Amino acid sequence: MKRRQFVGGVGVGSLLGASGALGLMTGCASTGGGNGPKVVVVGGGFGGATAAKYVRMWSDYGIQVTLVEPNASFISCPISNLVIGGVKTMSDITTSYDALTKVYGVQLVRDRVAQIDAEKRVVKLAGGSDLPYDRLILSPGVDFMYEMLPGMAAAGAQDNVLHAWKAGPQTVALRKQLEAMPDGGVYALAIPPAPYRCPPGPYERACQVANYFSKNKPKSKVLILDGNDDVTSKGPLFKKAWADRYKGIVEYRGKHFLADVDAATNTLKFEFNDPVKADVLNVIPSMRAGDIAVKTGLATANKRWCDVDFLTFESKAAKNIHVIGDSIQIAPMMPKSGHMANQHGKTCAAAVVALLTGKEVNKNPIYNNTCYSFVSEEDVVHVASVHAYDAAKQTMMPVAGSGGVSKAANELEGRFALAWARGIWADTLL
Ligand SMILES: Cc1cc2nc3c(=O)[nH]c(=O)nc-3n(C[C@H](O)[C@H](O)[C@H](O)COP(=O)(O)OP(=O)(O)OC[C@H]3O[C@@H](n4cnc5c(N)ncnc54)[C@H](O)[C@@H]3O)c2cc1C
C-alpha cells in the first residue's frame, strides 16, 4: 500500500518534482526541494496534523507539505482530565508523529514559527530558517490572556497556579499538586467566560478530581468558580453527577468572574464576589487565538479570534493563509473542540487541494462533533451536533433535529468515548 502511494506520488509528475519524490522515498524530512505546490502547516495539534495528512492524501501525494511543530509528539487534551484524576497516564494520551512523516510523507520541522510574511508568502522559524509557501494553514490553538490577571505576572505565579489547559507538563504538575494536597484540603477551579477551548472540559475535570478525592481524600473539596452564569455544557448531567456521586465534595458557584490571582497567598479575587483561598488553585484564564495568528493580524473578531471563509477556511484578513481549529471565530453553536478542529482540518485540506490543482471547492461542506465527558472512571455523557454550510448566511449552521445530549451517564458511553478517542487520534495522526 505504501509502495503504491509512493509510485502514485511520482506518477502525478505535474505536481511533484523529482527531488520532492526523492525526499519522500528516502524518508528525508528536509524542508525544501521539489517543484510542486508547497503547503506549510503551523501546529501539529488536532487541526494542523489532520490538515497535513489529508492534503498529502487528497493530492495523491503531489503537494509538498511541511508541518512546523515544536513538540516532539502529540499529546491529547481529550482524556487528559483522566490523567489529572489518576486513572490514565501520559503515555495513554501521547501519539508519535512518525506515521505522518513515514506513511504520508509530511516533512516535519521541529521548531516554532516566529513570523509570517503574508506578502512574500514566507514563514520565519524561531530557529532562523525561512519556509516559502503557496498556501499556509495555521492551527496554533489558543493562548491565554494573562494580562486580565495582573497577579499572574508575579515571579513564579504561572508555575504554581496552573491551567493544565494544554496537555503536557502542566497536566503532570497539576496531578502532583493534587497528590501532595492533604486530605481535608480545597481544590478551586476557576472557569473563564465562554468562548473557551472545550466547553464541557472544566466540568469533566471537576468530576475527575472529585472521583479521586472520593476514593483517596474523602474530606477534601472541589470548589468550582465559574465565570459564566451557569454550567455552559451538559449542565443537568454534570449537576446530577455532583449531587448523586460527589455529594459533599463538589460545590458549584456560578457568576464568579475572576479579576485577579494572588499566587503568594493562593487566593482568587473576583469582580463581585468575596475572595477565595484554596490549597490547590487551577485557573483557566480567558483565551484567544494562538499568539502567531494574533501577531500576524489575523484575529479580526474582537482582536481575539480569526474570521474565516467557512468554505475554504481562508482568513478574511490575509490571502493564501487558512486558519482552522480553536483559533477561529466560531460559527453559531460550533464548539472549540478537537473533533471540530479535525473536521476543519479535512474541509480545509480538500479546499486547499482544490485551489492548488484548479478544481472546484466544495460548496456544501457538512461535519459533525461529539464531545464525551467522563463523570467517573467509567461513566460518560455526550453532546453531539451536525453543522452544514448555509450559503445565504455564509456560515456553518447546526442542522435542525441532528445531534443531541445523553439521557444519563452510563458505562456503555464510556466504551464509546474511549473508542472515539482512539478513532480521532488515528484519523488525525495514523
Ligand atoms: C482538558 C481538556 C479536555 C478536552 N477534551 C476534549 C474532548 O473530549 N473532545 C474534543 O473534541 N475536544 C476536547 N478538548 C479540546 C481540544 O483539545 C481542542 O479543541 C483542540 O486541541 C484544538 O485543536 P487545535 O489544532 O486548534 O489546537 P491544538 O490541538 O492545541 O494544537 C495547536 C498546536 O500548535 C502548536 N503551535 C502553537 N503555536 C505555534 C507556532 N508559533 N509555531 C509552531 N507550532 C505552534 C502547538 O505546539 C500545538 O501543538 C479538550 C481540551 C482540554 C483542555
Side-chain angles (χ1 to χ4, degrees):
M1 175 64 183
K2 278 185 219 164
R3 173 77 190 153
R4 274 201 292 122
Q5 284 169 353
F6 291 167
V7 172
V10 177
V12 288
S14 58
L15 286 176
L16 182 63
S19 56
L22 191 64
L24 169 58
M25 293 182 81
T26 56
C28 169
S30 69
T31 56
N35 302 319
K38 290 182 173 61
V39 169
V40 172
V41 180
V42 181
F46 278 98
T50 303
K53 169 179 162 179
Y54 278 91
V55 169
R56 288 290 294 160
M57 280 174 67
W58 287 342
S59 69
D60 206 9
Y61 303 90
I63 295 175
Q64 298 174 61
V65 177
T66 304
L67 172 63
V68 186
E69 166 61 50
N71 292 321
S73 44
F74 171 97
I75 305 179
S76 172
C77 285
I79 313 294
S80 69
N81 282 331
L82 278 70
V83 178
I84 290 165
V87 297
K88 293 279 178 199
T89 64
M90 289 302 282
S91 70
D92 292 326
I93 61 169
T94 302
T95 306
S96 157
Y97 286 117
D98 277 2
L100 282 188
T101 57
K102 292 181 183 156
V103 178
Y104 300 101
V106 172
Q107 297 175 328
L108 181 65
V109 176
R110 196 163 163 210
D111 204 337
R112 179 169 279 280
V113 170
Q115 210 187 322
I116 297 167
D117 186 332
E119 285 294 311
K120 293 190 180 142
R121 290 198 222 166
V122 169
V123 300
K124 294 185 178 304
L125 303 182
S129 41
D130 288 357
L131 289 176
Y133 63 82
D134 295 299
R135 295 258 166 195
L136 179 66
I137 302 177
L138 274 186
S139 192
V142 291
D143 275 301
F144 301 109
M145 299 166 75
Y146 275 120
E147 69 276 13
M148 292 175 71
L149 304 170
M152 291 298 285
Q158 291 180 33
D159 298 325
N160 295 332
V161 179
L162 306 173
H163 53 76
W165 218 241
K166 295 184 181 191
Q170 288 217 359
T171 312
V172 177
L174 180 57
R175 173 68 194 161
K176 285 193 177 140
Q177 287 187 352
L178 293 170
E179 283 172 339
M181 192 187 90
D183 191 10
V186 175
Y187 159 81
L189 171 64
I191 303 173
Y196 58 87
R197 157 177 285 186
C198 192
Y203 312 109
E204 177 187 60
R205 177 168 296 177
C207 290
Q208 288 305 308
V209 176
N211 183 53
Y212 167 63
F213 286 170
S214 68
K215 292 179 177 153
N216 298 279
K217 301 180 181 187
K219 289 185 267 175
S220 306
K221 299 264 176 287
V222 173
L223 184 53
I224 307 169
L225 301 154
D226 197 340
N228 299 284
D229 288 354
D230 205 345
V231 176
T232 59
S233 178
K234 298 179 255 192
L237 292 164
F238 281 119
K239 285 180 180 172
K240 186 165 167 42
W242 299 332
D244 293 354
R245 297 165 191 254
Y246 307 120
K247 197 170 166 47
I249 294 181
V250 173
E251 181 184 336
Y252 176 81
R253 297 183 197 164
K255 298 183 182 153
H256 272 63
F257 185 82
L258 190 65
D260 206 354
V261 178
D262 183 346
T265 58
N266 259 17
T267 306
L268 301 175
K269 299 176 181 172
F270 298 93
E271 200 167 53
F272 302 115
N273 315 85
D274 290 338
V276 169
K277 207 168 147 67
D279 299 274
V280 174
L281 297 185
N282 183 186
V283 170
I284 305 170
S286 288
M287 305 166 199
R288 62 176 159 234
D291 286 343
I292 187 66
V294 176
K295 187 176 160 186
T296 311
L298 306 177
T300 40
N302 294 328
K303 296 190 178 152
R304 276 179 83 179
W305 309 109
C306 305
D307 285 300
V308 295
D309 167 357
F310 277 102
L311 289 181
T312 59
F313 284 90
E314 190 165 24
S315 158
K316 293 204 171 164
K319 280 199 170 312
N320 304 308
I321 300 181
H322 303 250
V323 189
I324 57 175
D326 285 355
S327 279
I328 71 159
Q329 167 72 352
I330 46 173
M333 309 298 288
M334 180 185 277
K336 291 188 181 294
S337 74
H339 193 143
M340 192 49 79
N342 164 277
Q343 305 279 286
H344 293 175
K346 287 187 192 170
T347 308
C348 178
V352 163
V353 170
L355 289 165
L356 289 175
T357 56
K359 297 197 180 108
E360 210 185 327
V361 170
N362 176 19
K363 292 196 173 59
N364 298 299
I366 181 161
Y367 40 77
N368 65 84
N369 183 78
T370 308
C371 276
Y372 289 101
S373 302
F374 281 78
V375 300
S376 70
E377 278 173 50
E378 305 90 13
D379 293 348
V380 164
V381 293
H382 83 264
V383 57
S385 54
V386 180
H387 306 255
Y389 188 72
D390 183 317
K393 296 191 171 111
Q394 295 191 357
T395 189
M396 301 296 290
M397 294 298 290
V399 175
S402 68
V405 184
S406 305
K407 287 198 172 59
N410 63 73
E411 197 266 341
L412 186 59
E413 289 222 30
R415 290 167 190 246
F416 294 159
L418 292 175
W420 168 86
R422 285 192 293 271
I424 204 91
W425 295 333
D427 193 42
T428 300
L429 296 147
L430 301 179

